[in-house]
Each structure stands twice: as structure tokens, then as C-alpha cells.
Amino acid sequence: MPPISLPRISMVPRPTVAPQEARNGAANATSKAGRRSSFSSRAPTWSTSTAEDGSLLGQPWYSGNCDRHAVESALLQVQKDGAYTVRPSSEPHSSQPLTLAVLLHGRVFNIPIRQLDGGRHYALGRQGRNNEELFPSVVAMVQHYTQHPLPLVDRYSHRCQLTCLLFPTKP
């Protein structure tokens, strides 16, 4: 089957802290436990060019303004292996703006979606993996894993399980 030309997605997160807080360095504050504190319970908002360029907002699996907890609750309520959604990352970086959340065996796996080559390619998972698959867009990535098994690795046992993205879910 010949490759399909898909639109490029340009993701530039807007800051979720007030400009004064950012100037004072409040965005980098850490709690006593050493964890980074959050100044907004809302997920980050994306520029309108994201919706225009990639049509993410129109996708049945995109949870644009939902945070991690809302997404995990929605997936756990569905109770179907292969239920999934894409949400803004909890701590978005320009290279890791989104997260794919997938339900398998009653557990939600949160997988970073990395933006490579200035937005020309996307890949799943943490950096440094060999032989990773690259995709021209997030839409192409999701479409691929609806037809091909996605390996999900348990971070504690390192056990690998496979599932396809089967049930698009929005909180």
C-alpha cells in the first residue's frame, strides 16, 4: 500500500503559569519530597495551530483538556483491554508534548509521545530506544497501532504484553 501524506502537527504548548510566576522561577519549584510542584490542575492548552494543522481536536481519541487522573479514571471505567486516549503530557516538554494512555488488564499505561526533527516525526516511549518506529504524525501513529500490536512493558517486572488500540475513549 503506498504511503499516505498526512498533515504535519506543530505542537507548541502555552505556559500554564502566570508570566510573573515564570519570571520568579516558580515554575521550577520543588516540594520537600523533591517532586516538581504543579501550579495548574488543568492540562496544558495548545495553540490553535495544533488543531488546525493536525485535526487532533476532531479525533475520537484525543482528550485535549484532560489531565492524567481524569483520563485514567475514564479508561478504568471503560474496563476494556485496548481502550486508549491521547492527552497532553503532565509536564509537557517541546520534545514530549503528548501521552498515549492505554488500558490493559485493569492497568493504565502512560506512554510519552516524542516529537522528533522539529515535528517532522513522532515516536513512542522514552528516548534512547533502538529500532524505534517513526511516524509522520500522531494520527498516523494511532492508526498504525489500531492494526498492529503495541508492546507495553511493565516498569517493575519488565514483562512485555501486546495489545492493539481498540476502543477510543474520551473522558
Side-chain angles (χ1 to χ4, degrees):
M1 184 157 67
I4 299 170
S5 177
L6 297 171
R8 269 183 56 198
I9 299 172
S10 172
M11 300 204 183
V12 180
R14 290 183 182 165
T16 57
V17 295
Q20 184 62 39
E21 290 173 333
R23 278 194 295 275
N24 292 341
N28 293 323
T30 56
S31 67
K32 289 180 184 176
R35 300 180 94 175
R36 196 175 172 127
S37 61
S38 172
F39 290 95
S40 174
S41 61
R42 293 185 348 221
T45 55
W46 301 96
S47 69
T48 55
S49 65
T50 301
E52 294 165 2
D53 292 346
S55 303
L56 285 181
L57 294 178
Q59 298 298 328
W61 40 260
Y62 182 64
S63 302
N65 288 325
C66 295
D67 65 12
R68 178 179 182 148
H69 299 293
V71 163
E72 289 181 356
S73 293
L75 290 172
L76 289 168
Q77 286 179 352
V78 171
Q79 295 184 1
K80 292 181 181 178
D81 286 348
Y84 69 97
T85 191
V86 172
R87 64 172 176 81
S89 290
S90 299
E91 293 185 31
H93 305 282
S94 60
S95 64
Q96 194 174 301
L98 299 168
T99 298
L100 171 64
V102 183
L103 181 70
L104 184 63
H105 304 307
R107 182 159 172 233
V108 176
F109 290 79
N110 289 284
I111 308 156
I113 297 176
R114 290 182 291 119
Q115 188 178 41
L116 307 169
D117 304 325
R120 289 184 301 212
H121 295 100
Y122 293 85
L124 275 179
R126 307 238 178 263
Q127 292 181 351
R129 288 183 31 213
N130 293 331
N131 303 320
E132 65 186 4
E133 293 190 69
L134 300 179
F135 299 91
S137 68
V138 175
V139 172
M141 178 185 291
V142 169
Q143 287 173 343
H144 174 81
Y145 288 113
T146 61
Q147 299 171 9
H148 300 90
L150 170 66
L152 299 173
V153 179
D154 184 289
R155 80 168 84 169
Y156 303 108
S157 70
H158 302 289
R159 191 173 132 217
C160 182
Q161 304 172 74
L162 301 173
T163 189
C164 286
L165 302 180
L166 301 173
F167 305 102
T169 305
K170 278 191 180 186

